[in-house]
Amino acid sequence: MTISTQLHDNGTFVVTMDYPPVNALPVAGWFRLAETVRQAGEDPAVHVVLLRAEGRGFNAGVDIKEMQRTTGFDALVGANRGCYLAFKAIYECAVPVIAAVNGFCLGGGVGLVGNCDTIIAADDAYFGVPEVDRGALGAATHLARLVPQHLMRTLYFTSRTIAAKDLVQHGSVLETVPAADLHDAALALAAEVAAKDPRVIRAAKAALNGIDPIDVNRSYRYEQGYTFELNLIGAADEHRDAFVATGRPMND
């Protein structure tokens, strides 16, 4: 279980998540990812970051089984902080961050790609935020960056997923390609960005963040407050226990 990196000669810094079986990151994984992306942005040799994953899917969010094995709120608080820092690191990374999404991208995965600058996906990829079915809240901030407001609310309340090809029409996914071609297509896109003057690109990233109408860091932290409230009243534990025991939402 790792976060591995590779710096290409053209300044493309590839960050790969590999946490079998479904890339549900444990608490330590979220903190590791946050630090990796943060350091990449501080390295003048890095012109662009490419975030990708090994395995069946891009990211399945937090490791719920780890959370349920832990007594008290340490794992919950750790996951909340780790996700917040990982999403923040991507958004505030001094260079553009490109997401190459394969398979499923759920929960915290949407938090990651929602803060990326560009998304390219395999043609079988899909996105969703099943937090309501887990007794939690979060990543609506980032889902709202992928789809219009009313569709975001519908997806959020129903825990439905949406195909990457359908996000192309909304402009949030640049393009979809065959899964076997995803890595090469993402590297080609990254190379296009990496070839630009890094001084200008870094200034452009800062400028675009500066005119963003939504403070994504603050809005996501606000969502997390309700997640903790649901834990205090016991609703979140009931839903997570049911999911760990059956693999399905509690009300199915």
Side-chain angles (χ1 to χ4, degrees):
M1 299 193 296
T2 62
I3 301 290
S4 61
T5 63
Q6 181 183 18
L7 178 60
H8 290 232
D9 291 341
N10 67 354
T12 298
F13 188 78
V14 181
V15 179
T16 301
M17 299 176 288
D18 188 7
Y19 284 81
V22 294
N23 280 322
L25 270 59
V27 170
W30 290 105
F31 280 94
R32 172 74 185 279
L33 179 59
E35 184 64 12
T36 299
V37 174
R38 186 190 65 77
Q39 290 181 350
E42 294 175 351
D43 186 347
V46 174
H47 296 184
V48 61
V49 172
L50 173 58
L51 181 63
R52 62 177 300 276
E54 289 289 341
R56 298 181 338 202
F58 179 80
N59 188 282
V62 301
D63 187 344
I64 293 177
K65 292 181 179 179
E66 178 190 45
M67 195 172 292
Q68 294 310 94
R69 288 194 303 266
T70 307
T71 58
F73 293 115
D74 287 351
L76 172 66
V77 172
N80 276 4
R81 289 178 177 172
C83 285
Y84 172 78
L85 290 174
F87 303 165
K88 185 174 187 287
I90 288 173
Y91 184 76
E92 295 181 351
C93 185
V95 299
V97 181
I98 297 170
V101 179
N102 61 303
F104 48 81
C105 181
L106 303 171
V110 170
L112 294 173
V113 302
N115 271 2
C116 286
D117 298 284
T118 303
I119 305 168
I120 185 170
D123 51 16
D124 63 349
Y126 60 95
F127 301 74
V129 179
E131 312 310 84
V132 168
D133 285 342
R134 307 291 184 265
L137 299 176
T141 291
H142 311 95
L143 185 59
R145 296 168 71 84
L146 303 181
V147 297
Q149 180 68 208
H150 286 86
L151 179 54
M152 180 276 288
R153 287 172 178 254
T154 300
L155 294 173
Y156 202 81
F157 293 146
T158 63
S159 296
R160 293 182 184 181
T161 60
I162 185 168
K165 61 182 178 61
D166 293 328
L167 291 182
V168 174
Q169 67 183 339
H170 294 297
S172 47
V173 169
L174 176 67
E175 63 176 339
T176 60
V177 299
D181 299 334
L182 178 61
H183 188 54
D184 287 342
L187 284 175
L189 176 61
E192 188 176 346
V193 176
K196 305 297 184 184
D197 185 332
R199 299 169 300 178
V200 179
I201 289 295
R202 285 173 177 263
K205 176 68 182 277
L208 291 176
N209 279 7
I211 63 171
D212 203 322
I214 300 295
D215 183 340
V216 296
N217 296 328
R218 180 181 179 186
S219 59
Y220 176 62
R221 205 64 169 143
Y222 182 85
E223 290 185 75
Q224 286 186 319
Y226 283 96
T227 293
F228 199 73
E229 184 175 301
L230 288 168
N231 275 272
L232 290 177
I233 65 174
D237 266 328
E238 293 173 16
H239 283 270
R240 287 197 301 264
D241 282 341
F243 179 75
V244 169
T246 67
R248 297 190 304 272
M250 185 171 71
N251 296 325
D252 271 13

